[in-house]
C-alpha cells in the first residue's frame, strides 16, 4: 500500500469497529499528520480516498464527518422469469464473452476474475515454483481419481467455517467448479429432464444444461434474500423437477446471501419433494460478514446436497482446482468424474494444499475481503454518480460482482457493441437467463484496483446509457 492508502485503511478500520460512528467528526488533517507522521498532502489524499468510497464527507470550515454506509438508492426489482421449463440459448453471446483474449488494451468490466496481482498470492507462486524445482515423479504422474489427500484434508478443515463436518473422503477434487457443477448435473439427470435454477443464474451452469439436453425452469429471485421458496414450491408441485441448482451465498450475479432460516427452509423443501440440490459455493469464502455464512450443506442430514466449489475466485482461475462433496451420490459422481477428465492435475493441488496449510489462505482472504468491500463501496458511488437516476443497483454481500438494472428499453447487448469501439466490455444480463431475459441488465467486476482508467470507463458506460436513452426518446417523438 502507498502511505495515503495506509492512512485511509486505518481510518476505515476505526469506522468499522465503531471508534468513529456515523455523524462523528473525524480528526483534523493536522492531527492525523502528527499521528501518522505524514504530510498534509498524504492525509488529504487519504480523505479523498474515503470520500470516493462515500464513507466520509467534507464540510466547509468544519472538517470531515462519517457518513452512513452507502447502500443503493434503488435495488434491482425481484425477478419474474417465465414460469415454464425452457431450452437454454445464449451460447453465441457466452462464447463472445469468454473468447475475448486477455489484453491490457481491453477493459473487461464484466468478467468473473479475482484480483490476480495481490502480493498475498506470492506464497502460492513460490509453492508452485518450489514443487517444480523439487521434481520427483509424484507431481508428474496421475493423481488418484478422488484427488490429493493433502488438499482434501485442507478443504474439509476449511469447510467447518461454513457449518460442514466432512471427512476428507467426502470431497472429490475436480478441474474447477465448472467440472464439479457439470458432474453434479449429469449425475442427477437424463436427456429432457427439468432443473430448477435461481434467476438470473450463472451462465456456465446454463450452458451445462444446454449441452446436456436439459430444460431450465427459472425461479423468481429477490436481490436481497434469494430464490423465492414460495414460487419454487409451486414449481415442484407442477413440474417433474430432477434437481435444484442455486448459488445461495454471495450469489453470482445478484450478490445476495440467503438468510439462514431461508436456507434451512430450502433444504426442508427439497427433502419434502425428494429432490437433490446442487449448491454452487464458489464465492462463499469471500463473504463480507463474520462469521462466514453457512452453506445449504450444513443443514443437509440425508446427503441430498451436492456442494460444489473451487479456488478460482478466491485464488486464481488458472490453477483449475475445484471440488465437490456429493453426499449420497458419491459413487455416481466418482464414475462421472472418471469418464469426464479422470484425475485432475497434481501440482496445482499440492501447491494449493501447501498454501492453505501454512496459513497463507486465511491471510489472503482477509486482505481480499477488505479490498473487495472497499471497491464495492467505491463502485456504488461511481454508478450512482454516472448512471441515470433510477438505475437498480445490487448490494453484494460478498465477492466482487455488481448487477445493474437499467431502464427496460435499454439493450445491453447493443450497449456492449457500442462500448467495443472504446475497448470496453461488460457482461450483458441476457447471458444469465435461459431465454435471454434481462437484456436491460449488466454485470460489473470490482476485483482489481479501481484505477483512473476504470473510473473513466465506468463514467463512459453511464454516459453511453444516457445517450441511448436520449436516442430512444427522440425516436419516439
Amino acid at each position: 500500500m502507498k502511505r495515503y492508502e495506509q492512512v485511509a485503511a486505518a481510518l476505515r478500520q476505526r469506522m468499522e469497529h465503531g471508534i468513529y460512528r456515523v455523524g462523528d467528526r473525524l480528526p483534523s488533517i493536522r492531527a492525523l499528520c502528527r499521528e501518522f507522521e505524514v504530510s498534509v498532502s498524504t492525509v488529504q489524499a487519504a480523505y479523498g480516498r474515503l470520500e470516493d468510497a462515500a464513507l466520509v464527507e467534507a464540510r466547509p470550515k468544519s472538517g470531515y464527518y462519517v457518513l452512513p454506509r452507502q447502500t443503493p438508492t434503488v435495488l434491482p426489482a425481484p425477478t419474474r422469469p417465465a414460469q415454464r421449463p425452457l431450452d437454454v440459448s445464449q451460447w453465441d453471446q457466452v462464447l463472445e464473452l469468454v473468447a475475448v483474449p486477455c489484453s491490457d488494451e481491453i477493459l473487461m468490466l464484466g468478467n468473473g476474475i479475482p484480483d490476480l496481482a495481490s502480493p498475498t498470492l506470492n506464497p502460492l507462486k513460490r509453492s508452485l515454483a518450489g514443487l517444480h524445482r523439487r521434481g520427483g515423479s509424484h507431481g508428474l504422474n496421475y493423481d488418484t481419481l478422488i484427488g490429493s489427500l493433502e488438499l482434501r484434508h485442507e478443504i474439509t478443515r476449511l469447510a467447518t467455517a461454513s457449518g460442514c463436518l466432512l471427512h476428507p473422503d467426502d470431497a472429490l477434487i475436480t478441474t474447477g467448479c465448472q467440472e464439479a457443477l457439470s458432474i453434479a448435473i449429469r449425475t442427477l439427470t437424463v436427456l429432457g429432464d427439468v432443473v430448477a435454477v435461481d434467476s438470473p443464474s450463472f451462465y456456465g451452469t446454463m450452458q451445462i444444461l444446454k449441452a446436456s439436453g436439459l430444460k431450465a425452469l427459472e425461479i423468481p429471485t429477490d436481490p436481497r434474500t434469494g430464490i423465492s421458496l414460495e414460487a419454487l414450491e409451486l414449481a415442484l408441485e407442477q413440474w417433474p423437477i430432477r434437481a435444484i441448482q442455486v448459488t445461495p451465498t454471495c450469489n453470482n450475479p445478484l450478490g445476495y446471501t440467503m438468510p439462514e432460516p431461508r436456507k434451512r427452509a430450502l433444504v426442508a423443501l427439497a427433502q419434502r419433494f425428494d429432490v437433490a440440490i446442487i449448491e454452487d459455493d464458489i464465492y462463499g469464502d469471500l463473504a463480507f460478514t463474520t462469521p462466514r455464512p453457512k452453506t445449504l450443506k450444513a443443514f443437509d442430514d440425508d446427503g441430498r446436497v451436492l456442494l460444489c466449489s473451487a479456488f478460482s475466485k478466491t485464488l486464481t482461475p488458472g490453477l483449475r482446482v475445484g471440488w465437490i462433496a456429493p453426499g449420497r451420490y458419491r459413487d455416481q459422481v466418482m464414475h462421472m468424474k472418471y469418464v469426464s477428465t479422470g484425475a485432475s492435475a497434481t501440482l496445482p493441488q499440492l501447491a494449493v494444499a501447501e498454501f492453505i496449510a501454512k496459513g497463507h489462505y486465511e491471510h489472503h482472504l482477509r486482505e481480499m475481503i477488505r479490498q473487495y468491500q472497499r471497491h464495492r463501496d467505491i463502485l456504488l458511488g461511481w454508478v450512482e454518480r454516472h448512471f441515470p437516476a433510477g438505475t437498480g443497483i445490487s448490494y453484494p454481500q460478498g465477492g466482487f460482482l455488481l448487477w445493474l438494472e437499467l431502464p427496460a428499453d435499454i439493450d445491453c447487448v447493443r450497449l456492449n457493441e457500442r462500448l467495443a469501439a472504446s475497448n470496453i466490455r461488460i457482461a450483458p444480463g441476457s447471458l444469465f437467463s435461459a431465454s435471454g431475459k434481462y437484456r436491460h441488465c449488466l454485470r460489473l467486476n470490482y476485483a482489481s484496483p479501481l484505477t483512473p482508467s476504470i473510473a473513466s470507463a465506468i463514467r463512459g458506460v453511464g454516459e453511453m446509457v444516457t445517450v441511448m436513452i436520449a436516442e430512444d426518446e427522440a425516436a419516439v417523438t
Side-chain angles (χ1 to χ4, degrees):
M1 281 189 182
K2 296 179 180 177
R3 196 72 179 104
Y4 79 90
E5 292 176 322
Q6 293 174 348
V7 175
L11 292 172
R12 183 190 183 103
Q13 188 176 46
R14 294 174 188 178
M15 287 184 274
E16 290 173 347
H17 285 79
I19 297 172
Y20 303 139
R21 299 179 183 275
V22 172
D24 284 353
R25 183 177 183 273
L26 292 163
S28 69
I29 290 176
R30 293 193 181 279
L32 291 177
C33 287
R34 291 193 296 270
E35 178 184 352
F36 290 97
E37 298 181 347
V38 296
S39 65
V40 169
S41 62
T42 297
V43 176
Q44 288 174 331
Y47 271 136
R49 184 69 173 259
L50 295 174
E51 282 187 290
D52 288 341
L55 295 175
V56 306
E57 68 173 353
R59 298 178 186 174
K61 299 181 180 180
S62 180
Y64 290 89
Y65 290 80
V66 180
L67 289 172
R69 177 59 64 91
Q70 176 167 338
T71 56
T73 304
V74 181
L75 287 168
T79 62
R80 298 183 181 279
Q83 295 295 285
R84 65 184 186 282
L86 298 171
D87 292 322
V88 176
S89 54
Q90 315 311 314
W91 166 238
D92 290 343
Q93 290 182 37
V94 172
L95 181 60
E96 182 179 349
L97 177 69
V98 301
V100 176
C102 294
S103 168
D104 293 337
E105 298 177 356
I106 300 176
L107 280 176
M108 300 294 293
L109 298 180
N111 62 19
I113 298 176
D115 181 11
L116 303 180
S118 173
T120 52
L121 288 174
N122 288 341
L124 178 61
K125 298 174 186 176
R126 290 195 292 270
S127 291
L128 283 165
L131 287 166
H132 178 71
R133 285 195 303 270
R134 290 197 292 268
S137 60
H138 178 50
L140 301 179
N141 203 347
Y142 286 121
D143 203 336
T144 61
L145 182 60
I146 195 173
S148 158
L149 176 60
E150 298 97 321
L151 180 56
R152 288 185 285 114
H153 172 78
E154 296 301 334
I155 286 171
T156 54
R157 185 175 64 81
L158 292 174
T160 59
S162 67
C164 293
L165 297 178
L166 302 175
H167 185 275
D169 288 346
D170 293 333
L172 175 73
I173 305 303
T174 61
T175 305
C177 192
Q178 184 79 354
E179 187 189 29
L181 292 168
S182 177
I183 287 173
I185 289 170
R186 288 182 291 127
T187 293
L188 298 170
T189 61
V190 296
L191 185 68
D193 277 346
V194 177
V195 177
V197 297
D198 43 11
S199 181
S201 189
F202 171 49
Y203 52 78
T205 304
M206 289 291 192
Q207 294 307 313
I208 295 171
L209 300 183
K210 177 180 177 66
S212 302
L214 307 173
K215 294 183 181 295
L217 179 56
E218 298 181 72
I219 306 297
T221 302
D222 187 279
R224 295 164 298 178
T225 59
I227 191 169
S228 168
L229 300 182
E230 298 76 16
L232 178 59
E233 182 176 13
L234 290 173
L236 287 165
E237 291 173 347
Q238 184 177 3
W239 302 101
I241 294 171
R242 292 289 298 172
I244 303 166
Q245 197 285 308
V246 288
T247 307
T249 306
C250 307
N251 177 268
N252 171 23
L254 285 176
Y256 64 80
T257 291
M258 285 184 74
E260 189 171 305
R262 295 185 66 83
K263 287 182 176 179
R264 287 182 181 274
L266 175 54
V267 174
L269 188 64
Q271 290 173 337
R272 180 153 67 89
F273 284 91
D274 193 23
V275 62
I277 299 177
I278 302 169
E279 179 178 13
D280 182 351
D281 191 55
I282 194 169
Y283 291 93
D285 280 351
L286 294 173
F288 298 153
T289 55
T290 302
R292 182 223 196 273
K294 291 184 177 180
T295 58
L296 298 177
K297 187 72 173 175
F299 309 113
D300 176 28
D301 56 16
D302 61 358
R304 71 178 59 251
V305 176
L306 295 88
L307 178 61
C308 303
S309 191
F311 297 96
S312 302
K313 309 305 180 183
T314 51
L315 296 178
T316 165
L319 294 178
R320 309 309 300 139
V321 177
W323 57 276
I324 180 172
R328 64 167 74 167
Y329 305 98
R330 185 178 184 276
D331 290 345
Q332 301 98 305
V333 163
M334 285 279 286
H335 181 246
M336 198 62 68
K337 166 65 176 171
Y338 175 73
V339 300
S340 176
T341 59
S344 296
T346 305
L347 285 177
Q349 295 183 59
L350 298 177
V352 172
E354 184 176 287
F355 185 77
I356 299 170
K358 291 184 176 181
H360 300 306
Y361 184 70
E362 287 87 347
H363 174 62
H364 174 72
L365 282 184
R366 287 195 300 270
E367 293 301 314
M368 290 300 96
I369 287 170
R370 280 197 287 265
Q371 173 175 312
Y372 295 159
Q373 190 169 13
R374 182 171 68 250
H375 287 185
R376 177 199 64 182
D377 294 343
I378 293 172
L379 188 57
L380 284 172
W382 290 354
V383 172
E384 290 270 17
R385 192 176 309 146
H386 300 305
F387 279 68
T391 296
I393 310 170
S394 66
Y395 192 60
Q397 300 303 298
F400 45 80
L401 301 169
L402 193 70
W403 180 259
L404 305 185
E405 182 182 44
L406 304 176
D409 54 352
I410 293 297
D411 184 343
C412 286
V413 175
R414 189 160 59 93
L415 171 64
N416 210 23
E417 293 170 353
R418 287 197 173 193
L419 292 171
S422 302
N423 286 329
I424 297 171
R425 295 287 195 281
I426 58 170
S430 53
L431 298 176
F432 303 85
S433 169
S435 62
K437 192 177 171 64
Y438 313 121
R439 288 183 75 93
H440 64 304
C441 299
L442 63 103
R443 189 184 74 175
L444 297 175
N445 178 304
Y446 51 82
S448 298
L450 298 179
T451 60
S453 62
I454 293 179
S456 177
I458 296 295
R459 182 175 66 250
V461 176
E463 291 172 350
M464 183 63 73
V465 172
T466 301
V467 167
M468 293 174 68
I469 291 174
E471 289 174 350
D472 290 341
E473 291 174 348
V476 171
T477 58

